[in-house]
Amino acid sequence: MIRVHTPQRLLVTAVTAVLAVTAAGMTTPAAAAPSTTAFTAAALAVTAGEQDAAPALPAGSHLAAGGPSGVLTSVATETGTEYRWTRYSTGVTTVLPPGPYLGSVGTDLAVTSAEGVHTLYDLGTGADPVVVDTTALGPNADLQRLAGSTLVMARPNAVGGTEVHLVDKPEDTVVDRTVTGLPANAWVYRYEVSTPDTLLLAYNTAGAPGKHLAIVDVATGAVTDTRPLPFVANEGDATATARLVAWTEPAADGSVTLAVAPRGDTSVTRTPLGTGNVQVELLGDQWVTYGVGSYRQTAPNPLHGLTARSLTTGRTVKLLDSMERVVGDAHGGLLVRGGTAAHGEGVYRVSVDAAGAPTATLVATTGEPTAIGAVTRQTPGTVDFGTGGNARWSWEFDRGNVELRLQLTHTATGRRWTSEPQHLDRAHVLGVEWTGMTDNRTSAPNGAYTWRMTARPTDGIGPVLERTGALTVANRPAPHDFSDSGAPDLLVRDGSGRLLGYDARQTLYETGRWGTPSQRERVDHGPGWNAYDRLTVPGDAGGSAHADVLGRDRTGVLWLHQGTGKGFSPRTRIGGGWQIYDQLAAGSDVTGDNRPDLVATDKAGVMWLYKGTGSSSTPYANRVRVGAGWTIYDRVTATGNIAGAPAGDLLARDRAGVLWMYLGKGDGTFATRIRVGAGWNRYSDIVGVGDTNRDGRPDLVVQGVAGGTHETLAHYLGTGDWRAPFGSRQGVYNPEPLGTGDVTLF
């Protein structure tokens, strides 16, 4: 199919990147789509029009060669590799017939081959192609390079070496010349064309150690210079001008040394460079350039991109941040497929300016970025983790080789969360999800946060990209939350009467998922709590929006410790006479008015209901009789709505160790009890702690009777199904002081 693009005059001038003097923040505007035309002599000969900005190439284009008039590139398509010729002056792009093609360094010539027949095109003038038939060389002759209009062919000889042939077709006659000066047993493994009249051959000699570099004068076909190469493998690169020759010397440890020598002279100047597959080219006789191709590399390398080194002073100048391939151009300079952080990817011409300094000028752009760029797709503003959702961020990155991290900082406390690194190997959308934990896996407190996204180039090319913003965590209060995080906490009274708080998610759920945290966080609420013979968590009994604690002292007085989200206010007296009860269970809304209630069983086995009022001075209304017969139970626990009933529920353990569930009806009464299971007499404490795993269902925490072993603490995840309200028991390695003595868990 013939495709034609009509170029449009662009409104910007081509960007010239003069080393170390780049305007900060400058970017290359998007170029108009290049025109494409059929492959005809007339199309190739187009000269009309002007192009002020660098012509546009398809993204992913590779450099094949470049001449005085334009650049030969290739790009992968759905049907294969497509070769294109783009003229500098007009931006017109000609799509060539199916290839592949070899370009000629410093000329507008290109060749394509099929079964020993080679078609040579002058892409600059559009002259009729020249067809060269080399079948006389035999089926084992292969085209290696194009030096000007000369085909560099190679075939094996009778002694295991390589015959190198230079084939031309002047005046419609095929002329075949064999390169002279090579040993008969020289096996050539690398071919390089530095200029149209200079061919470099790297070879081994069969039966003899060592490698060699031969420089061939294309005009005469004779080797004019040979020198040893200390390569450890068939690697390395070489280049030459009329006066100099340069090559790289890879070592066994992966390091690479740059060698430069005058032509015809045995003296060599060597410079250690670093590691990697270094490409080297001479830029006139005053500079040498080198670099490691950075495409598809995932690790940083100081040699990524293209660096020029002065052969007189040793000064180095970084020309390009990224680089794929370097070839000679028609003016003694270089063409490079690469990019800069400021101006992006494309083909750059490297030359020496009037002051003798190397410069890099963008001559064709692919429109791809070299530095990381990103478009924000999603950022949260306010999040409530109690609803079961997470906070999500996402960005669409315009290149691969990106490592993304996100860090959040709680403004009031400085507590942080840092995401695990996310990696991207191509331009795509990448996101981060926060489940509401800090770095030590405790639940994140409510309040204002700042966040910082850092996108680091894993290949080391270009600067680190950052984005910042703000987030508010606004979790709803939870009945067992003492840290203003919306997530439940465990309260533990140790043997000395000191009250300690533990984040339930870190202690229970995250321990099971991630392994034991290196140090569990705990909050010390102070001593003196052994003044109480009963402790229970009633939820928000006093209307402060935070969870409270009820304590009955040994004289029968009930006290309210109102929560502040960080601790407790001074206690307030609720009333005396509470010594008549042997069980207190608070926190379940059994009346259906969205306030937590308190139930108490007296020593005669009668259960009484104290309806919650939400008042800190009188948190409960007068008692109402629920029913008798509760003496059969030695433990009663309020669990909240743990089984999907209309209101809060109760768990009761009988003296044989069987656990029973009472589903709240919402009117202060309970449905007929349901048997949960036996064996619960192994636990001294049974606590309805709330939702530890953020699945929307309250869970249960238990403490073993024995104490002193890692088996004593466990939890049961709620299912929300009254027929089987709990999952299997999950043991937890105890944080100090759980399970290490006379402790009370509530």
Side-chain angles (χ1 to χ4, degrees), residues 33-47:
S35 63
T36 31
T37 181
F39 184 81
T40 64
L44 287 172
V46 170
T47 58

mmCIF file of all heavy atoms in Angstrom, residues 33-47:
data_model
loop_
_atom_site.group_PDB
_atom_site.id
_atom_site.type_symbol
_atom_site.label_atom_id
_atom_site.label_comp_id
_atom_site.label_asym_id
_atom_site.label_seq_id
_atom_site.Cartn_x
_atom_site.Cartn_y
_atom_site.Cartn_z
ATOM 1 N N ALA A 33 2.664 14.937 12.109
ATOM 2 C CA ALA A 33 2.887 13.608 11.560
ATOM 3 C C ALA A 33 3.689 13.711 10.274
ATOM 4 O O ALA A 33 3.387 14.523 9.401
ATOM 5 C CB ALA A 33 1.556 12.932 11.291
ATOM 6 N N PRO A 34 4.756 12.890 10.130
ATOM 7 C CA PRO A 34 5.570 12.980 8.916
ATOM 8 C C PRO A 34 4.773 12.478 7.721
ATOM 9 O O PRO A 34 3.928 11.606 7.826
ATOM 10 C CB PRO A 34 6.753 12.062 9.223
ATOM 11 C CG PRO A 34 6.209 11.065 10.193
ATOM 12 C CD PRO A 34 5.190 11.801 11.003
ATOM 13 N N SER A 35 5.087 13.038 6.558
ATOM 14 C CA SER A 35 4.419 12.537 5.364
ATOM 15 C C SER A 35 5.112 11.276 4.896
ATOM 16 O O SER A 35 6.308 11.127 4.989
ATOM 17 C CB SER A 35 4.447 13.601 4.265
ATOM 18 O OG SER A 35 5.767 13.874 3.882
ATOM 19 N N THR A 36 4.318 10.302 4.424
ATOM 20 C CA THR A 36 4.888 9.084 3.847
ATOM 21 C C THR A 36 4.430 8.958 2.416
ATOM 22 O O THR A 36 3.321 9.338 2.061
ATOM 23 C CB THR A 36 4.418 7.839 4.602
ATOM 24 O OG1 THR A 36 3.142 8.075 5.094
ATOM 25 C CG2 THR A 36 5.370 7.416 5.639
ATOM 26 N N THR A 37 5.309 8.424 1.629
ATOM 27 C CA THR A 37 4.993 8.329 0.208
ATOM 28 C C THR A 37 5.467 7.002 -0.343
ATOM 29 O O THR A 37 6.228 6.283 0.304
ATOM 30 C CB THR A 37 5.654 9.497 -0.563
ATOM 31 O OG1 THR A 37 5.304 9.402 -1.938
ATOM 32 C CG2 THR A 37 7.153 9.457 -0.435
ATOM 33 N N ALA A 38 4.972 6.665 -1.545
ATOM 34 C CA ALA A 38 5.366 5.418 -2.184
ATOM 35 C C ALA A 38 6.847 5.433 -2.517
ATOM 36 O O ALA A 38 7.462 6.477 -2.700
ATOM 37 C CB ALA A 38 4.554 5.214 -3.468
ATOM 38 N N PHE A 39 7.414 4.257 -2.642
ATOM 39 C CA PHE A 39 8.835 4.131 -2.967
ATOM 40 C C PHE A 39 9.006 4.264 -4.477
ATOM 41 O O PHE A 39 8.868 3.313 -5.235
ATOM 42 C CB PHE A 39 9.349 2.780 -2.482
ATOM 43 C CG PHE A 39 10.826 2.621 -2.699
ATOM 44 C CD1 PHE A 39 11.716 3.187 -1.816
ATOM 45 C CD2 PHE A 39 11.318 1.921 -3.782
ATOM 46 C CE1 PHE A 39 13.080 3.040 -2.003
ATOM 47 C CE2 PHE A 39 12.671 1.767 -3.982
ATOM 48 C CZ PHE A 39 13.556 2.332 -3.088
ATOM 49 N N THR A 40 9.270 5.491 -4.901
ATOM 50 C CA THR A 40 9.546 5.758 -6.313
ATOM 51 C C THR A 40 10.688 6.745 -6.389
ATOM 52 O O THR A 40 10.998 7.443 -5.427
ATOM 53 C CB THR A 40 8.325 6.368 -7.029
ATOM 54 O OG1 THR A 40 8.047 7.641 -6.461
ATOM 55 C CG2 THR A 40 7.096 5.475 -6.897
ATOM 56 N N ALA A 41 11.321 6.810 -7.551
ATOM 57 C CA ALA A 41 12.411 7.764 -7.723
ATOM 58 C C ALA A 41 11.913 9.180 -7.501
ATOM 59 O O ALA A 41 12.583 10.011 -6.892
ATOM 60 C CB ALA A 41 13.020 7.618 -9.112
ATOM 61 N N ALA A 42 10.710 9.464 -7.992
ATOM 62 C CA ALA A 42 10.182 10.818 -7.834
ATOM 63 C C ALA A 42 9.969 11.163 -6.364
ATOM 64 O O ALA A 42 10.252 12.264 -5.915
ATOM 65 C CB ALA A 42 8.877 10.955 -8.611
ATOM 66 N N ALA A 43 9.445 10.173 -5.617
ATOM 67 C CA ALA A 43 9.200 10.438 -4.201
ATOM 68 C C ALA A 43 10.497 10.680 -3.454
ATOM 69 O O ALA A 43 10.613 11.578 -2.623
ATOM 70 C CB ALA A 43 8.442 9.269 -3.582
ATOM 71 N N LEU A 44 11.525 9.868 -3.748
ATOM 72 C CA LEU A 44 12.789 10.009 -3.050
ATOM 73 C C LEU A 44 13.493 11.307 -3.404
ATOM 74 O O LEU A 44 14.279 11.836 -2.621
ATOM 75 C CB LEU A 44 13.696 8.823 -3.376
ATOM 76 C CG LEU A 44 13.294 7.504 -2.719
ATOM 77 C CD1 LEU A 44 14.139 6.377 -3.281
ATOM 78 C CD2 LEU A 44 13.421 7.583 -1.221
ATOM 79 N N ALA A 45 13.222 11.838 -4.570
ATOM 80 C CA ALA A 45 13.921 13.029 -5.016
ATOM 81 C C ALA A 45 13.254 14.314 -4.546
ATOM 82 O O ALA A 45 13.675 15.397 -4.926
ATOM 83 C CB ALA A 45 14.014 13.031 -6.539
ATOM 84 N N VAL A 46 12.194 14.224 -3.719
ATOM 85 C CA VAL A 46 11.497 15.424 -3.262
ATOM 86 C C VAL A 46 12.470 16.352 -2.554
ATOM 87 O O VAL A 46 13.192 15.955 -1.652
ATOM 88 C CB VAL A 46 10.342 15.049 -2.304
ATOM 89 C CG1 VAL A 46 9.787 16.300 -1.641
ATOM 90 C CG2 VAL A 46 9.250 14.350 -3.083
ATOM 91 N N THR A 47 12.484 17.604 -2.950
ATOM 92 C CA THR A 47 13.344 18.589 -2.291
ATOM 93 C C THR A 47 12.588 19.849 -1.924
ATOM 94 O O THR A 47 13.104 20.689 -1.199
ATOM 95 C CB THR A 47 14.524 18.976 -3.206
ATOM 96 O OG1 THR A 47 14.010 19.484 -4.437
ATOM 97 C CG2 THR A 47 15.419 17.784 -3.472
#
